[in-house]
Amino acid sequence: MGDELGLLLSKLTTSDHASVTSISLFVALLCGCILVGHLLEEYRWMNESITALIIGVVTGVLILLISRGKSSHLLMFSEDLFFIYLLPPIIFNAGFQVKKKQFFRNFITIMLFGAVGTLICFVIISFGAMQAFRKLDIGIGSFDIGDYLAIGAIFAATDSVCTLQVLNQDETPLLYSLVFGEGVVNDATSVVLFNAIQNFDLTKIDARIALKFFGNFLQLFLTSTLLGVLVGLLSAYIIKRLYIGRHSTDREVAVMMLMAYLSYMLAELFYLSGILTVFFCGIVMSHYTWHNVTESSRVTTKHAFATLSFVAEIFIFLYVGMDALDIEKWRFVSDRPGTSVAISSILLGLVMVGRAAFVFPLSILSNLSTKSPNEIIHFRQQVIIWWAGLMRGAVSMALAYNQFTWKGHSESQGEAIMITSTITVVLVSTMVFGLMTKPLIRLLLPMPRHISSNASSDQNTPKSATVPLLGSGQDSDCGNFGNFSSEPIPPATQLRLLLTIPTHTVHHCWRKFDDTFMRPVFGGRGFVPSVPRSPPDENAPYLQ
Amino acid sequence: MGDELGLLLSKLTTSDHASVTSISLFVALLCGCILVGHLLEEYRWMNESITALIIGVVTGVLILLISRGKSSHLLMFSEDLFFIYLLPPIIFNAGFQVKKKQFFRNFITIMLFGAVGTLICFVIISFGAMQAFRKLDIGIGSFDIGDYLAIGAIFAATDSVCTLQVLNQDETPLLYSLVFGEGVVNDATSVVLFNAIQNFDLTKIDARIALKFFGNFLQLFLTSTLLGVLVGLLSAYIIKRLYIGRHSTDREVAVMMLMAYLSYMLAELFYLSGILTVFFCGIVMSHYTWHNVTESSRVTTKHAFATLSFVAEIFIFLYVGMDALDIEKWRFVSDRPGTSVAISSILLGLVMVGRAAFVFPLSILSNLSTKSPNEIIHFRQQVIIWWAGLMRGAVSMALAYNQFTWKGHSESQGEAIMITSTITVVLVSTMVFGLMTKPLIRLLLPMPRHISSNASSDQNTPKSATVPLLGSGQDSDCGNFGNFSSEPIPPATQLRLLLTIPTHTVHHCWRKFDDTFMRPVFGGRGFVPSVPRSPPDENAPYLQ
């Protein structure tokens, strides 16, 4: 196994000058994307992802012109580069920066959208594609059921980055946490689904296999989460116990960074979902570990993780943009342009229908079970949630490459068409839908500040950032229903109570448990280091 | 060229599970090194590098045992992994954190040690090795003059990390800045030398070629420095002009990080010395750019760069430790253990002699030209400087692999012996000499706090970190010799004055120039952003 790393490390480095040229060009383009993105910040249609995508496509065209069409592989999309190096920092940062209170308050709704919704979407796209492709006789009849299910998983993976860049966590906390939480759970669900499809023999599906499939899926979900929580707690314990910041703040930052990455790699090692693991590791680290480190480590980790995630995101969009022009694949399908357009259109349509099919029903279900008026998902918000999940991004690309290429090359025309169709769907949905996101949200939420003060209580406004996570005035015993037990219960709200009380009870139990058992061991908010806050760090001398 | 990056990127990722295992193992080992290093912090013999080296060797032995001696390539040392990914953050951070005042005050001495000294050392080792190997008839007579000169360059590259971890920048500022500055200039000199040797036809050396060689060397030095300064200034200008922190502090950090890396890659692209470029880029960024960004970006960059450098350093030592057990090369030389031991001993001896041959004479020369008593290098300090440069590290390894292997494999026994000898020298010098560094410094500088208050003026103590770089009370005109002109000059100090006055004049001119032309354009200390210091950053929501 050491041998493998050696090979890997030696492979990732080629001495020739060309790779230096490529890296320089790529880094320069990344800088360019950030600067252009900054300049276009005020412009109502643009955001960083679309900028990077456009710059990527333009650079691809330029390279194609300079090389006079010779370079057929401008950039080979590598799913492992994506899954091993780029995705972990993005997902970890998502967990690290998420507003935990909002996230867990809406946990059930998020799981409804992210897991159940993704399954519905997956089923609709799979069977829709199967019916449509067969009926239209597009000529990729060699596809078996496994391929169609894979298509379902590929196009069930949303990319809500564009929407999240526009939504404001403080102004519309409910909407933000739903879109955001669904995005993460959706990523995990579709990757887990995709892997399950590849591992199961799907030629003969019966109830037993479907049940086993579902059990497998559930087990993966739970063990992945548990692993993330465990690694996060371990990091909190180590840093609290050893008090590493005493000697060097850099060591704390390094330990946090390495353990976060380790959690992802361990999950991959045990064939779990690295995305879920690293997401929950991020949540636990922000709840415990982050409060155990020195003040400067806190500032550093908060911004360093956000920066890494930011750069990785731009990298992906730039990369997808440049990869869109892999002319080898386009040549493969150039004699049948109609087919490619038809398939792309069908898939885009299925994506829109598949998403509508679960967002609106599940929202209504969620509203039925909600007690407080500020947790109601209004119709306009439902439209935004629907819209937010229409974009397809790098996860879809990576899965498509995994399914339809062999070592970077498509073997049959059908596979080549699926790759070019995926690229088309990603480009069209990100550019066209993405460009319309900002105006659409402005239209649907015309006065965000006003809406937010209606739609959310004070606890959800920015102030909550400074309010302790434990809340206040709700110190009732675990198991006691607190405020609810003293109120007369109108019959109409009994269904709601049945569904809301457990959530609140769980929250209370968690608070008690956290205070009594977790914090003394793992630290967390309010943990005061025994030495001054900013110890003189010998290894990091001050800048002069 | 895009093609190349694609290939590179696809190469750096193999889908198989083995690479996931290796990465997990490696990340876990990195964590382990940091934690063990933390626990051994108080222990007088140890430091992080030696810990990593030992853990690397132990892991190597374990893997060898587990694979039952099968895995001949535990880890192939990849010079490009080292030069493209690990070295840039280390050298950039060195420039970023260096105390510029001390560095430029001792600039001439540092250049004496780093450039002239390294050349002396290179000549002694080259010719010493040539004489010794031929006289002892060790049987690697197939080596030509180019190989011997390469050996000189390989073993002229010092690794002063061990010493710098022990020295304190605040307690012994002169010593620290000399050892530190020499280390960086030495790295650059030996790499430039090595490349020059490979590019020149050295079979027929005459005065003309030697002169051309020297001219080439000087030109490389100057253009590399200039490129670093230019990229640094560009980053300062962009960030000051666009005021990127207005929207997002992460964008500032990303731009600084990417532009620093870009400077290194551009230098490599133009066949310059990336080490020098990124070092001066770091200096310029800490002088201008760092003062133009928001408060949180300052804390983040300071610690994030230090952390990256710290992790890269440990990575290298761990890697070298694991690579030491590449049994393929050891098998190659196993029938002649005597030769390998003899060569290693000769090289270690030459390293010690070669270093002594320039440290003591150049120190005396430097003392002759020094005016102030706190800039005199005492004999004990000379011994420490000599000692600090005895360790050999990853640069030597990388250069040796470049010269004596072809795609990771040695072709002849002579080459294999050179590789194993280099590994032996690196291990012995780092472990044996490294372990003795802390006790030696304690012995030679028994009361560092006392020594420092004798040996340095108040301006050199930690307070200088808060004193503006411009100093105070020395506002005399550029071209006027200031304090000196009003004093009577004793004849004995005329030589000193001849050498010191230009330095001080240069410093004055620089201050004037910096104030009048540079700061208005590029910002720097005292540049006050026009909006509040910590703007609310929408993209990096607060942790709850």
Side-chain angles (χ1 to χ4, degrees), chain A residues 1-3 11 13-15 17 22 41 48 73-74 78 80 96 100-101 169 251 269 541 543-544, chain B residues 1-3 11 13-15 17 22 41 48 73-74 78 80 96 100-101 169 251 269 541 543-544:
Chain A
M1 63 190 166
D3 201 15
K11 263 193 266 173
T13 53
T14 42
S15 188
H17 204 64
S22 306
E41 183 85 28
E48 221 105 31
H73 274 289
L74 281 173
S78 153
D80 286 327
F96 198 70
K100 292 183 291 296
K101 201 173 190 174
Q169 185 160 206
R251 224 174 248 155
L269 189 64
L543 287 164
Q544 205 172 5
Chain B
M1 64 190 163
D3 201 16
K11 262 194 267 172
T13 53
T14 42
S15 188
H17 204 64
S22 306
E41 182 85 26
E48 222 106 31
H73 274 288
L74 282 173
S78 152
D80 286 325
F96 198 70
K100 293 184 291 295
K101 199 174 191 173
Q169 185 160 206
R251 223 175 250 157
L269 190 63
L543 288 163
Q544 205 172 7

Side-chain angles (χ1 to χ4, degrees), chain B residues 424-500:
Chain B
T424 311
V425 170
V426 167
L427 286 186
V428 170
S429 66
T430 306
M431 291 221 204
V432 179
F433 296 166
L435 278 177
M436 288 160 68
T437 303
K438 244 187 199 174
L440 183 85
I441 289 176
R442 295 270 157 81
L443 185 78
L444 290 176
L445 303 175
M447 287 170 293
R449 215 162 275 285
H450 180 64
I451 290 272
S452 99
S453 60
N454 278 344
S456 63
S457 75
D458 271 356
Q459 273 199 309
N460 296 342
T461 55
K463 252 177 69 187
S464 71
T466 57
V467 167
L469 189 78
L470 294 173
S472 53
Q474 298 204 16
D475 293 314
S476 54
D477 264 16
C478 180
N480 176 358
F481 292 160
N483 304 339
F484 309 112
S485 57
S486 58
E487 287 168 12
I489 304 168
T493 56
Q494 274 182 348
L495 171 65
R496 289 176 191 171
L497 264 184
L498 206 71
L499 284 152
T500 53

Side-chain angles (χ1 to χ4, degrees), chain A residues 80-101:
Chain A
D80 286 327
L81 169 74
F82 175 69
F83 279 114
I84 292 186
Y85 300 103
L86 298 176
L87 196 59
I90 295 176
I91 305 288
F92 174 77
N93 186 57
F96 198 70
Q97 314 269 0
V98 72
K99 291 202 169 184
K100 292 183 291 296
K101 201 173 190 174

